Amino acid sequence: MRIKLLLWALMAALSLQAQEITPSDRPNKTQQLQAERGYGMFIHFGMNTFIEKEWSEGVEPASTYHPTALDPDQWVRVARDAGFRYVLLVTKHHDGFCLWDSKYTDYDVASSPVPVDVVRGVSDACKKYGLKFAVYYSLWDRHEKSYQAADFNEYIDFMENQLRELLTQYGEVCELWLDGGWDKPARMWQIPRLYKMVKELQPHCAFGVNNGVMLKGGEDGGGFDSMANPDQMTAGYTNYLRYFPMDFRLADPKIANKKDKKLYTVEGKQYYLPFEHTICVSRAWNWFQKERAMEVRSLDELEELFYWSTENGNSLVINVGPDRRGLIRANEEDVLVALKDRLGLRIGKPLPRNGEYLSVGVPAEASSSFSGDVKNYGPAWAVDGGMQTRWASGELTPELVLDFDSEQEFNKISIFEYQDTKAGEDGFSNYRENRIKEYRIDIWKDNAWENIYISSEPMGDCKLIHFPRNYKTTRLRFKVLRASDFPSLWEFNVIRMPE
Amino acid sequence: MRIKLLLWALMAALSLQAQEITPSDRPNKTQQLQAERGYGMFIHFGMNTFIEKEWSEGVEPASTYHPTALDPDQWVRVARDAGFRYVLLVTKHHDGFCLWDSKYTDYDVASSPVPVDVVRGVSDACKKYGLKFAVYYSLWDRHEKSYQAADFNEYIDFMENQLRELLTQYGEVCELWLDGGWDKPARMWQIPRLYKMVKELQPHCAFGVNNGVMLKGGEDGGGFDSMANPDQMTAGYTNYLRYFPMDFRLADPKIANKKDKKLYTVEGKQYYLPFEHTICVSRAWNWFQKERAMEVRSLDELEELFYWSTENGNSLVINVGPDRRGLIRANEEDVLVALKDRLGLRIGKPLPRNGEYLSVGVPAEASSSFSGDVKNYGPAWAVDGGMQTRWASGELTPELVLDFDSEQEFNKISIFEYQDTKAGEDGFSNYRENRIKEYRIDIWKDNAWENIYISSEPMGDCKLIHFPRNYKTTRLRFKVLRASDFPSLWEFNVIRMPE
């Protein structure tokens, strides 16, 4: 292990020329490596694991952190068994509590009842199991005193010191994920300085800052309002970057558009920036695990999100939070291992791909749009390739008709249904409730609609239909037969999988 | 084809000694062949296909029968593609309308606008595609005049003539399924006479009469009250037969008990009688297809019903009714082909089997039983191996605990939930509505309950969980977290599939 570490330091020293991102419309080496990894386990564990809150304020005593059976090796073993290629560990969240023994703060695991260096545990296990290791670190810090200093450089120095610890003491770090930048105007974070340091220490560490794309150019004062969502990133060379340089984009927890162009202009030069997706394995939204076990997403939904998020040079991390014992829960492990089995994920082999999406951008008609507002809720939004927009109907049993240019052959349909969300009693998680209870799908054949699918099982987040044959048609109709409220779809995908 | 027919007639003539069922506690040749077939497609098509009724009265004119694209070859091709080994065709239902050109009535396809001999079409297609052909025939006849004659022998002669047509004009018939016997006292059907004739014509044709087992001995006056259900067939040599001789039992559409003994005593001699299951592929109950397409059972439910119904020497036919065009609907074909793919069904190979059921008969405790009535609704009914009895709780969030004798290793759980049924507007079909909306499963480990599964998707008819690992435990807990009415389970199965 020691020799490996020395070798890695030598290689880092030899790669000093890779310190700046090079203008290009194609992925550079760092970005190629990121796309090849493609699929990682995101791990949120720390102070918030031990309290029924999602974002603590940095005031909980270190003693609150007290896992009873802490086992970072188990986390990475599960990641390996589930076919992940890297582990992205939250080393410090917004509360400032550090999962390693940092020289620069006492608000860390070393001051807790369980002084295990979790960063060491995870990075060692990654080496043991053959996975890459990635670091999440929050810019925003609700505990650290220098964050409130008159001269913000004091806090930048603090961060630089901590990042140096993380980037020099644990071997190769394949990715650095910075979060919470919205708490300050963008320029205050001195991203160029941080980027330079990271690249000096780890030339091929992919560097990303959450919510790094803006709707408009000019000075960014922080906050959430100026952030672009992925559906606003489909034009090449026109979006505005909030932070620069970066190697990849983040807009946690949103999903990229099918027409994601990944092309940005900065000071007249053009850059390629892939997108890393971040989702929770749980169906009820929560990043840090709480007392109550959370139900997981269905295998069908995970299959479709996997395909959608890892194609087109982008990547996906799925959050799997260890619980208060310090172990990944059985039900979360099981669904991810089952997903690996279903997709045939194998280390050393390219990631599996979905078939061809035949419906993106085709003309769509609906029997109604909510409030007659076709602009915001029209049927085109069900086939626009974007998961942040939706067709919303204005009746209980609407229908949607897709018109293909020519006869198309398909054998798979996936439907992402809009759900009502209900806040959990805990105050942070939310639950989704389904509207569509019965529905059918018809194809146009011999001058009439022919039914090919009908269901009276509630649809839910994602309905996936694998047909055991190829259907051919020029038009396809989706008809709701029973619903508890006006149905709405994020996306309706008609797909042809290869034989 | 002609030579094959002659050969078959020769073999039949040589097998005259097989005319009577031989006392035995094991399957005879006919029963062995039936168990090897194991899985058949049941086809209801006829007068009732063209009207919105399940049982017509025999008064509809023959012109009501008018398929627009009749294709019996398609039916059998679908059966082959779905991995069925035989096709059981309804040749005459209670309304008396015959699907072949019978010399003995004008109430048949020959008098209709589409005078195609459907029995010929299906039996020929069976030869073409390598499937066996079986005949359903209703004893009860609501059209035929001789059924009302003062001397019932006139009707028995009529039946014998029709059965002779069916058993001599279409090649090998592997099974004869008689129905509707409840309309008359049992002895009136002269079953020994029919059985003798069938065996003379087709020595290895398995002979069964629906609802052939009674609760009590003695004279049977007809009707439904004296019928035994499969949960009342678990003791050897004690049940009473309504009809004799028979080669197999039917109690349409009920499911056999895991402890089904198949052993009966008649006049001091002991007989082995396997059970043939009959279910619809559709989720909303209907045997004859109607105007509206019907939603099909889930693949999970079909998987578990397949395993349950084809094990232990019993067999299963699934009804797939062609529609008014005379074609099997796409959605019904698709789910059955998908089931074949999932189970790996292959002609010439033994039927796939479920793993070991570990929970049948284990001690069970529940937090409540409906109305405190443990005798009729206690938790033992959830693990008794019988699908006609159920545990019903008396609260919205009950729990059920299974206690194994010793540590057990499992990797699959299937749960059959009791559903409320709602009559369809058509007056015959019924729809099932689910109660359990959220639930969890825990195992006893290190002196505490550890969660292994949690779901907020409505349970429905059958919830099937395949775990990607073997869990070990001495106790297992099922806990409902949210329900719309007091939950109730037909059966809760803990299963170990081989690696």
Side-chain angles (χ1 to χ4, degrees):
Chain A
M1 213 55 100
R2 289 287 154 199
I3 287 170
K4 267 197 171 172
L5 203 65
L6 279 171
L7 193 64
W8 160 82
L10 188 66
M11 285 172 64
L14 289 171
S15 304
L16 283 179
Q17 71 278 15
Q19 282 170 35
E20 286 190 6
I21 186 166
T22 315
S24 174
D25 60 358
R26 288 196 286 176
N28 60 30
K29 181 70 184 168
T30 298
Q31 292 166 331
Q32 281 172 32
L33 291 169
Q34 185 180 28
E36 280 166 26
R37 288 191 297 275
Y39 185 48
M41 179 188 273
F42 203 176
I43 297 180
H44 280 64
F45 184 72
M47 194 55 73
N48 298 326
T49 307
F50 299 88
I51 53 176
E52 296 291 315
K53 274 185 192 173
E54 194 64 3
W55 286 0
S56 59
E57 293 82 5
V59 297
E60 311 289 338
S63 62
T64 301
Y65 171 92
H66 62 289
T68 55
L70 179 64
D71 188 0
D73 190 88
Q74 184 247 5
W75 310 352
V76 185
R77 196 170 66 241
V78 169
R80 190 256 336 248
D81 291 347
F84 289 107
R85 283 122 188 260
Y86 61 112
V87 171
L88 170 59
L89 176 69
V90 171
T91 61
K92 184 193 86 169
H93 205 251
H94 311 323
D95 52 39
F97 185 77
C98 297
L99 287 198
W100 77 103
D101 179 8
S102 173
K103 270 192 236 167
Y104 305 97
T105 184
D106 287 333
Y107 199 52
D108 62 15
V109 288
S111 308
S112 84
V114 184
V116 172
D117 182 338
V118 176
V119 180
R120 174 76 57 209
V122 170
S123 58
D124 278 359
C126 280
K127 294 179 189 85
K128 176 176 166 189
Y129 294 116
L131 279 75
K132 298 289 181 185
F133 175 61
V135 164
Y136 164 109
Y137 180 88
S138 176
L139 298 166
W140 184 25
D141 192 317
R142 306 173 85 173
H143 180 88
E144 168 58 23
K145 288 227 169 54
S146 62
Y147 193 83
Q148 310 296 340
D151 180 1
F152 200 61
N153 279 310
E154 283 183 36
Y155 179 68
I156 301 294
D157 291 343
F158 167 82
M159 283 209 297
E160 209 172 63
N161 285 327
Q162 286 208 317
L163 287 172
R164 193 174 294 274
E165 290 181 325
L166 290 168
L167 295 166
T168 58
Q169 296 175 6
Y170 302 97
E172 186 187 348
V173 174
C174 66
E175 176 179 317
L176 179 65
W177 205 110
L178 298 175
D179 197 15
W182 57 80
D183 195 52
K184 300 281 180 193
R187 62 172 170 73
M188 286 184 69
W189 300 113
Q190 303 186 35
I191 294 299
R193 176 179 159 192
L194 295 177
Y195 187 88
K196 185 165 184 289
M197 182 201 69
V198 169
K199 293 292 168 167
E200 280 169 4
L201 297 173
Q202 300 260 2
H204 285 310
C205 176
F207 182 105
V209 190
N210 193 13
N211 295 311
V213 181
M214 288 196 297
L215 280 173
K216 293 179 182 175
E219 176 69 10
D220 177 73
F224 292 93
D225 292 345
S226 57
M227 286 159 33
N229 79 50
D231 287 339
Q232 296 159 326
M233 303 177 192
T234 59
Y237 304 122
T238 60
N239 280 111
Y240 304 90
L241 297 183
R242 194 173 198 171
Y243 310 108
F244 190 82
M246 298 191 295
D247 298 313
F248 66 97
R249 289 166 296 148
L250 289 163
D252 171 57
K254 299 187 180 68
I255 307 289
N257 193 290
K258 285 263 160 259
K259 289 166 269 178
D260 183 26
K261 280 282 192 299
K262 307 193 286 301
L263 299 173
Y264 294 83
T265 303
V266 181
E267 294 177 1
K269 289 175 184 163
Q270 296 174 339
Y271 297 89
Y272 174 95
L273 288 174
F275 189 94
E276 186 179 73
H277 295 86
T278 50
I279 64 170
C280 287
V281 70
S282 61
R283 186 170 185 266
W285 203 254
N286 72 321
W287 293 90
F288 288 93
Q289 204 66 268
K290 303 301 177 192
E291 175 103 42
R292 179 184 186 277
M294 289 292 178
E295 47 277 32
V296 295
R297 294 176 193 259
S298 71
L299 264 178
D300 284 355
E301 185 187 11
L302 288 170
E303 172 179 336
E304 283 308 276
L305 287 177
F306 173 91
Y307 284 137
W308 187 296
S309 301
T310 60
E311 66 171 17
N312 193 19
N314 292 331
S315 52
L316 168 68
V317 290
I318 298 185
N319 185 68
V320 189
D323 62 13
R324 289 176 189 176
R325 295 170 306 173
L327 296 170
I328 288 176
R329 286 179 167 157
N331 70 318
E332 303 201 340
E333 174 180 352
D334 283 349
V335 76
L336 292 165
V337 173
L339 180 68
K340 181 200 72 173
D341 291 344
R342 182 192 275 205
L343 297 174
L345 278 168
R346 292 287 175 277
I347 289 282
K349 284 180 67 179
L351 294 177
R353 298 292 175 212
N354 212 354
E356 187 185 351
Y357 289 79
L358 305 170
S359 48
V360 175
V362 303
E365 285 187 28
S367 55
S368 66
S369 297
F370 188 66
S371 295
D373 184 356
V374 175
K375 189 181 166 214
N376 290 304
Y377 295 115
W381 295 119
V383 289
D384 69 322
M387 295 280 257
Q388 282 70 232
T389 51
R390 57 189 170 101
W391 163 54
S393 70
E395 64 195 300
L396 285 173
T397 56
E399 65 178 57
L400 174 74
V401 175
L402 309 189
D403 228 316
F404 302 110
D405 270 351
S406 55
E407 189 172 75
Q408 296 290 340
E409 209 167 325
F410 67 93
N411 49 26
K412 179 175 174 177
I413 287 177
S414 65
I415 312 172
F416 288 90
E417 187 195 353
Y418 168 80
Q419 312 267 304
D420 293 297
T421 54
K422 188 181 69 170
E425 285 174 18
D426 50 31
F428 61 87
S429 60
N430 56 56
Y431 299 81
R432 303 196 281 292
E433 286 200 344
N434 152 274
R435 294 179 173 184
I436 300 175
K437 308 300 184 188
E438 283 185 46
Y439 53 98
R440 57 184 285 166
I441 297 169
D442 308 314
I443 57 173
W444 189 250
K445 193 179 167 187
D446 302 333
N447 291 315
W449 287 116
E450 177 166 331
N451 179 250
I452 60 166
Y453 191 81
I454 182 165
S455 176
S456 59
E457 286 174 16
M459 178 172 278
D461 293 294
C462 178
K463 174 66 191 181
L464 183 54
I465 309 167
H466 283 284
F467 297 97
R469 66 169 112 183
N470 285 7
Y471 281 106
K472 288 181 193 176
T473 193
T474 54
R475 298 171 75 202
L476 186 141
R477 179 172 74 172
F478 169 71
K479 182 153 182 52
V480 178
L481 303 173
R482 189 163 63 88
S484 56
D485 199 347
F486 296 169
S488 176
L489 303 183
W490 291 111
E491 209 65 9
F492 188 102
N493 300 303
V494 181
I495 298 165
R496 178 176 51 230
M497 298 296 285
E499 299 297 306
Chain B
M1 212 55 103
R2 289 286 155 198
I3 287 171
K4 267 196 170 173
L5 203 66
L6 279 170
L7 193 65
W8 160 83
L10 187 67
M11 285 173 63
L14 289 170
S15 303
L16 285 179
Q17 71 277 17
Q19 283 170 32
E20 286 192 6
I21 187 166
T22 314
S24 173
D25 60 357
R26 289 196 285 175
N28 59 30
K29 181 68 184 168
T30 297
Q31 292 165 332
Q32 281 171 32
L33 290 170
Q34 185 180 30
E36 280 165 26
R37 286 192 298 273
Y39 185 49
M41 180 188 273
F42 203 176
I43 297 180
H44 280 64
F45 184 72
M47 193 54 74
N48 298 325
T49 306
F50 299 88
I51 52 175
E52 296 292 313
K53 274 185 192 174
E54 194 63 3
W55 286 0
S56 57
E57 293 84 5
V59 296
E60 311 289 338
S63 60
T64 301
Y65 172 91
H66 61 290
T68 55
L70 179 64
D71 188 0
D73 190 87
Q74 184 247 6
W75 310 352
V76 185
R77 195 170 66 240
V78 169
R80 190 257 335 249
D81 291 346
F84 289 107
R85 284 120 187 261
Y86 61 111
V87 171
L88 171 58
L89 176 70
V90 171
T91 59
K92 184 193 87 169
H93 206 251
H94 310 324
D95 52 39
F97 184 76
C98 297
L99 286 198
W100 77 102
D101 179 6
S102 174
K103 269 191 238 168
Y104 306 96
T105 184
D106 288 332
Y107 200 52
D108 62 14
V109 288
S111 310
S112 83
V114 185
V116 172
D117 182 338
V118 176
V119 179
R120 174 79 55 210
V122 170
S123 58
D124 278 0
C126 281
K127 294 179 190 83
K128 176 177 166 188
Y129 294 116
L131 279 75
K132 297 290 182 186
F133 175 61
V135 164
Y136 164 108
Y137 181 88
S138 175
L139 297 167
W140 185 26
D141 193 316
R142 306 174 86 174
H143 180 88
E144 168 58 23
K145 288 224 167 56
S146 62
Y147 193 83
Q148 310 296 339
D151 180 2
F152 200 62
N153 279 310
E154 283 185 35
Y155 179 68
I156 301 293
D157 290 344
F158 168 82
M159 283 208 298
E160 209 171 65
N161 285 327
Q162 286 209 319
L163 288 172
R164 192 174 295 273
E165 288 181 327
L166 291 167
L167 294 167
T168 59
Q169 296 176 8
Y170 302 97
E172 186 187 347
V173 174
C174 67
E175 177 179 316
L176 178 65
W177 205 110
L178 299 175
D179 196 14
W182 57 80
D183 194 53
K184 299 281 179 192
R187 61 171 170 74
M188 286 183 70
W189 299 113
Q190 303 186 35
I191 294 298
R193 177 178 157 192
L194 295 177
Y195 187 88
K196 185 164 183 290
M197 183 200 68
V198 168
K199 293 293 169 167
E200 279 169 6
L201 297 172
Q202 299 261 3
H204 285 311
C205 176
F207 183 106
V209 189
N210 193 13
N211 295 309
V213 181
M214 289 195 297
L215 280 173
K216 294 180 181 174
E219 176 70 9
D220 177 72
F224 292 93
D225 292 345
S226 58
M227 286 160 33
N229 78 49
D231 287 340
Q232 295 159 329
M233 304 177 192
T234 59
Y237 303 122
T238 60
N239 279 111
Y240 303 90
L241 297 183
R242 194 173 200 173
Y243 310 108
F244 190 82
M246 296 191 296
D247 297 314
F248 66 97
R249 290 167 296 148
L250 289 163
D252 170 60
K254 299 189 180 67
I255 307 289
N257 194 289
K258 285 262 161 260
K259 289 166 269 177
D260 182 26
K261 281 281 193 299
K262 307 193 286 299
L263 300 172
Y264 295 83
T265 303
V266 179
E267 293 177 3
K269 290 176 183 161
Q270 295 173 341
Y271 297 89
Y272 174 94
L273 288 174
F275 188 94
E276 186 179 73
H277 295 86
T278 50
I279 64 170
C280 287
V281 71
S282 61
R283 187 170 184 265
W285 203 255
N286 72 320
W287 293 91
F288 287 93
Q289 203 67 267
K290 303 301 178 192
E291 174 103 40
R292 179 183 185 277
M294 289 290 179
E295 47 275 34
V296 294
R297 295 174 192 259
S298 71
L299 264 179
D300 285 355
E301 185 187 10
L302 288 170
E303 172 178 337
E304 284 308 275
L305 287 177
F306 173 91
Y307 284 136
W308 187 295
S309 301
T310 59
E311 67 171 17
N312 193 20
N314 292 332
S315 52
L316 168 68
V317 290
I318 298 185
N319 185 67
V320 189
D323 62 13
R324 289 177 190 176
R325 294 171 305 172
L327 295 169
I328 288 176
R329 286 179 167 156
N331 70 318
E332 303 201 341
E333 173 179 352
D334 282 350
V335 76
L336 292 165
V337 173
L339 180 68
K340 180 199 72 175
D341 291 343
R342 182 191 275 205
L343 297 174
L345 278 168
R346 292 287 175 277
I347 289 281
K349 284 180 67 179
L351 294 176
R353 297 293 175 211
N354 213 354
E356 188 185 351
Y357 289 80
L358 305 169
S359 47
V360 175
V362 303
E365 285 188 27
S367 55
S368 65
S369 297
F370 188 67
S371 295
D373 183 356
V374 175
K375 190 180 165 215
N376 289 305
Y377 296 114
W381 294 119
V383 290
D384 69 321
M387 294 280 257
Q388 281 70 234
T389 51
R390 57 189 170 101
W391 163 53
S393 71
E395 64 195 301
L396 284 172
T397 57
E399 65 179 56
L400 174 74
V401 175
L402 309 189
D403 228 316
F404 302 109
D405 270 351
S406 55
E407 188 172 77
Q408 295 291 340
E409 209 168 324
F410 67 93
N411 49 25
K412 179 174 174 177
I413 286 178
S414 64
I415 312 172
F416 288 89
E417 187 195 354
Y418 168 80
Q419 312 267 304
D420 294 297
T421 54
K422 188 182 70 170
E425 284 173 19
D426 51 31
F428 61 87
S429 61
N430 56 56
Y431 298 82
R432 304 197 280 292
E433 287 200 345
N434 152 274
R435 293 179 173 184
I436 299 175
K437 308 300 185 189
E438 283 185 46
Y439 53 98
R440 56 184 285 165
I441 297 169
D442 308 313
I443 57 173
W444 189 250
K445 192 178 167 187
D446 302 333
N447 291 314
W449 287 116
E450 178 166 333
N451 178 250
I452 59 166
Y453 191 81
I454 182 165
S455 176
S456 59
E457 286 175 15
M459 177 172 279
D461 293 293
C462 177
K463 175 66 191 181
L464 182 53
I465 310 168
H466 284 283
F467 297 98
R469 65 169 110 184
N470 286 6
Y471 281 105
K472 288 181 193 176
T473 193
T474 55
R475 297 171 76 202
L476 186 140
R477 178 172 74 172
F478 169 72
K479 183 153 181 52
V480 177
L481 302 173
R482 188 164 63 86
S484 56
D485 199 348
F486 296 171
S488 176
L489 303 183
W490 292 111
E491 209 65 9
F492 187 102
N493 300 304
V494 180
I495 298 165
R496 178 175 51 229
M497 297 296 286
E499 299 296 308

